[in-house]
Amino acid sequence: MYAGTRDASWNLSTGTATINTNDPIGPDEYYRVGSQSKTFTAVAVLKLTEANGIGLDDPIEQHLPGVVSVNGYDGNRITIRHLLQHTSGIPVNGLPLAQARPDGSYTLAALVKDGLRFAPASQPGAAFQYSNTNYEILGMLIEKITGLPVHQAVTQQVIQPLGLAHTRFPAPTDRAVPSPAIHGYRGTRIGSFFFWLDGTAFEPSTFYASGAVISTLRDMTAFYQAIVDGTALSPANLTEMEKTFELGQPGSGNGYGLGMLKIALPCGGTAWGHDGAVPGYYSQTLVTEDGRHASVMTNAHLVTNIPGAQMYKTLTSALCETPS
């Protein structure tokens, strides 16, 4: 299933949306996938570490000396696996203050430095702390291994081999969404007034290795299916990717692997995928091992009260629907 809402108005209390059904989003229209980009970065890391004899449990200090060993962090205790699984102890950076270059773009080093200004939230391996900083560090690792900018490396290692013709990892300062583009809108309230602001043009290096990818509903489904069916990774790497850190209530069946979410479906069974939010867009893709799939997005992205529960309900309802 592909589903998209264009010019949608969410009713957050009922979990419903008013949608302009005369202008549906097509499966090959481009939008920013946000943190679904993390799965692309994770696949690139897994492929590159395997090809270069690098262990997932290697300390990051071994490959990026001095990068993480600041402000109470110990790069000799934080491993590549911890970064991939958000168990490094690095907390969320809710108010990024990275130093921009004169052209308005950001380097990975600047993003990492900004994220590490926060003290550790937990010991490595002890807790799940979702942080873009983990994936900016992994972007630096990719660049160290390949000698290429991370956007080029991920394109060569992941996007091109999988034939994802409608997926782009834009370079810094490449701020446009390709045509046919879905315009993204950010909603914000000022007093008693509510405003929608166009968020389509956006500096991709703001989130870079953690959230810069642009794709389509069809390509995102193909990408996650290629992971789950074993096309994207070796059997050994897929096994590692699907080792999860448990999320939510004990025994819930939900977890976070290496750049990918495991979701227990209400009808039984498991789905794999990720969600993503950047200014203007919110999206999520889930696939199952037996071929069911759902990719959804909305370009009516609220700054607060992001409709995560409604998105989840739409996805799981589609995946659990009995074929007629």
Side-chain angles (χ1 to χ4, degrees):
M1 182 199 81
Y2 308 119
T5 65
R6 192 197 312 270
D7 303 328
S9 174
W10 285 97
N11 184 324
L12 296 173
S13 62
T14 63
T16 60
T18 301
I19 304 168
N20 181 357
T21 55
N22 292 321
D23 190 18
I25 289 173
D28 296 316
E29 291 187 76
Y30 290 95
Y31 62 95
R32 300 186 188 277
V33 306
S35 284
Q36 292 191 77
S37 306
K38 289 181 173 68
T39 316
F40 287 88
T41 297
V43 171
V45 168
L46 287 164
K47 292 180 69 174
L48 288 166
T49 52
E50 183 176 58
N52 290 274
I54 297 172
L56 294 177
D57 295 308
D58 285 358
I60 193 62
E61 185 74 13
Q62 182 176 328
H63 303 286
L64 296 173
V67 170
V68 178
S69 294
V70 296
N71 195 25
Y73 295 98
D74 185 351
N76 287 303
R77 297 185 59 203
I78 296 173
T79 67
I80 296 171
R81 186 187 303 276
H82 289 147
L83 296 167
L84 285 164
Q85 202 163 52
H86 296 294
T87 55
S88 66
I90 301 171
V92 63
N93 186 353
L95 185 63
L97 297 171
Q99 181 65 47
R101 292 184 285 198
D103 62 5
S105 67
Y106 299 89
T107 65
L108 286 168
L111 296 172
V112 170
K113 180 180 179 181
D114 180 57
L116 295 179
R117 65 190 163 92
F118 298 96
S122 62
Q123 294 298 314
F128 180 85
Q129 305 280 346
Y130 189 86
S131 176
N132 286 341
T133 308
N134 289 317
Y135 274 74
E136 308 306 355
I137 296 169
L138 292 167
M140 294 182 72
L141 177 64
I142 290 171
E143 293 192 344
K144 178 71 175 294
I145 295 171
T146 64
L148 296 171
V150 66
H151 64 275
Q152 290 183 15
V154 172
T155 298
Q156 291 182 13
Q157 292 292 322
V158 184
I159 296 171
Q160 290 175 344
L162 292 178
L164 301 175
H166 294 89
T167 300
R168 308 283 186 271
F169 192 143
T173 74
D174 182 2
R175 298 177 178 132
V177 176
S179 181
I182 300 168
H183 277 262
Y185 298 93
R186 296 176 291 159
T188 187
R189 184 181 298 280
I190 301 176
S192 60
F193 297 95
F194 196 87
F195 299 91
W196 288 107
L197 308 173
D198 194 318
T200 309
F202 191 77
E203 172 50 49
S205 64
T206 303
F207 300 112
Y208 216 10
S210 68
V213 170
I214 295 170
S215 190
T216 66
L217 294 169
R218 194 191 306 274
D219 260 21
M220 290 309 299
T221 296
F223 172 56
Y224 283 103
Q225 287 180 319
I227 294 173
V228 171
D229 70 16
T231 300
L233 293 166
S234 70
N237 266 337
L238 180 57
T239 296
E240 295 296 336
M241 194 174 204
E242 292 183 343
K243 292 179 179 177
T244 60
F245 190 95
E246 189 173 50
L247 302 178
Q249 296 295 322
S252 67
N254 299 326
Y256 198 93
L258 305 188
M260 193 163 63
L261 279 162
K262 176 185 178 183
I263 302 294
L265 296 173
C267 55
T270 297
W272 296 91
H274 213 290
D275 62 341
V278 290
Y281 305 90
Y282 181 55
S283 61
Q284 187 168 6
T285 305
L286 290 177
V287 303
T288 64
E289 292 180 354
D290 63 5
R292 287 171 291 159
H293 56 86
S295 187
V296 300
M297 67 82 62
T298 175
N299 66 337
H301 175 220
L302 301 172
V303 175
T304 58
N305 297 324
I306 295 173
Q310 295 87 341
M311 188 79 80
Y312 173 79
K313 182 178 179 181
T314 300
L315 284 160
T316 56
S317 296
L319 293 175
C320 288
E321 185 178 66
T322 303
S324 56

